[in-house]
Amino acid sequence: MITVLLGLAGAVVYGAADFLGGLAARRARAVTVTAVAAAVGLLPLLVGLALLGGRFSAGAVLWGVAAGVSGGVGVLLLYAALATGPMSVLSPLTAVFTAVVPVVVALLRGTVLSPLGVVALVVAVVAVLLVASVPDRGGARLTVRGVVAAAAAGCGLGGIVLAYDASPPDSGIATLVAARVVQAVLLGAAALVTARRPRPGGPPAVTTSAHQDRPAVAVARGTVLRGLPRTLLLVVLGCGVLDALANVFVQAGLHSSDDPSTLPVMSVLNALYPIGTVVLAGLVLRERLTALQTTGIALAFAASIGLALS
C-alpha cells in the first residue's frame, strides 16, 4: 500500500511540475526552462541532504550519474521527436515506453506478478496511453525518425526509474543529488547551444519538467505568463522544486519494499504523471479534458486500487 501511495504522490507532483514547466515554455525555450528548473531543483535536494542525510558511496554516485545521463538524453530525444512529428502519436508512444521498459526488465529478472497485478499493470499502461493523448492540430507528418526518437526517449526516461531502483538503499538523497547535477550540466549545455539559434514561432507547445521531462501533455495556449518576468521566474522555480520532490517520492517508493514487484508497480504509477498535468490545465486554464483522457483517468484509479490489493 505504501508503495502505491508513494507512486501516486510522485506522479501527481510530477504532473504539477510539468504543468508549470509547460506554462514557462510559453515564454522561453522548453530546453532552457528545463535546464533552469533542473538547476533550481538541486537546491531543495541539498537541503534535504543536510537534514535527512545520505551516503555518497560508489554505487550511489554511479547510479546517480546513470540516472542523470539517461534522463538528460531522454528529454533531448523527446524534443527531437516532438519537433519532427505529431504530438498526438509520439507523446503517448514515449509515455508507454517509459512505463513498460522497467516492467520488462523486472520480468526478465524473474519477477512474478499475481494475476490481479498483471491485469492492473496492463490497465495502467492503457491509462497512460489515453491520458497522454492530446489532439494534434499542427498537421505534422509521422515519420520513422520521429517514432524511433520517441521510443528511444521513452527508454531513456524509463532508465531513470531503473537507476534509482538499483541505487543502494542507504544512499538516501545522495543518488538524487548526483543525478540532478549531471542533468543540470547536460541540459544546461543543450540550452546554451540552442540559445544561439533563432526560435521560430515561439516555444513548442509541450510541457516539460526538470527530471524525467517525460512525454508531454499539451497545455492550453493562454495569457497566463504574459506578465512580469518575475512571474515567469516563480513558475520555473516552482517547477524545479516540485520536480525534485517528485524524485524523492519515486526513490522512496522504489526502496519502500523488498518485494520484486515494487519496480514494475512504481514504473507504471510514475508514468501516470499526465493526470496531474491535465487536471491542473482544466482547473487553471479551463482546458477541457477529452473523452479519452477522462477514460484514462478513471482507468488509472481502477489500476491503482488493483495494484494496492495485489
Side-chain angles (χ1 to χ4, degrees):
M1 175 63 76
I2 185 63
T3 299
V4 174
L5 292 177
L6 287 170
L8 290 176
V12 170
V13 178
Y14 271 140
D18 280 358
F19 174 75
L20 294 178
L23 292 181
R26 301 297 173 198
R27 289 289 304 276
R29 294 177 186 272
V31 67
T32 301
V33 171
T34 303
V36 174
V40 169
L42 183 60
L43 298 179
L45 290 178
L46 291 175
V47 173
L49 183 66
L51 295 177
L52 304 177
R55 181 169 175 264
F56 283 95
S57 63
V61 174
L62 173 64
W63 289 112
V65 171
V69 172
S70 184
V73 172
V75 66
L76 294 177
L77 287 172
L78 174 60
Y79 291 154
L82 297 181
T84 59
M87 183 189 301
S88 58
V89 176
L90 299 180
S91 178
L93 177 63
T94 306
V96 169
F97 270 87
T98 301
V100 169
V101 166
V103 174
V104 172
V105 171
L107 294 178
L108 291 176
R109 291 176 180 173
T111 299
V112 178
L113 301 173
S114 67
L116 177 60
V118 171
V119 172
L121 286 178
V122 172
V123 171
V125 171
V126 173
V128 171
L129 185 63
L130 295 179
V131 176
S133 64
V134 294
D136 187 277
R137 301 179 178 87
R141 186 169 58 90
L142 186 65
T143 64
V144 174
R145 177 183 176 185
V147 171
V148 172
C155 292
L157 302 177
I160 298 175
V161 177
L162 290 173
Y164 285 165
D165 179 67
S167 64
D170 63 349
S171 63
I173 299 179
T175 299
L176 303 183
V177 171
R180 182 68 53 157
V181 169
V182 173
Q183 286 177 2
V185 171
L186 287 178
L187 295 174
L192 289 175
V193 171
T194 57
R196 300 177 182 274
R197 302 175 182 173
R199 182 166 61 99
V206 296
T207 57
T208 59
S209 76
H211 161 67
Q212 318 247 68
D213 305 85
R214 296 156 300 276
V217 173
V219 176
R221 294 178 178 83
T223 58
V224 176
L225 290 181
R226 292 180 185 173
L228 300 174
R230 179 180 178 183
T231 302
L232 177 62
L233 177 61
L234 290 176
V235 170
V236 177
L237 290 175
C239 173
V241 171
L242 289 176
D243 185 82
L245 179 59
N247 276 267
V248 173
F249 280 130
V250 170
Q251 190 193 44
L254 288 168
H255 293 303
S256 64
S257 171
D258 293 330
D259 190 329
S261 66
T262 300
L263 173 59
V265 168
M266 283 297 301
S267 68
V268 173
L269 291 177
N270 175 62
L272 290 174
Y273 74 90
I275 291 178
T277 306
V278 298
V279 169
L280 283 174
L283 294 175
V284 178
L285 303 179
R286 306 302 182 190
E287 184 181 88
R288 297 183 63 179
L289 298 178
T290 66
L292 288 178
Q293 289 174 324
T294 302
T295 303
I297 292 174
L299 289 177
F301 280 109
S304 300
I305 294 174
L307 291 172
L309 297 176
S310 63

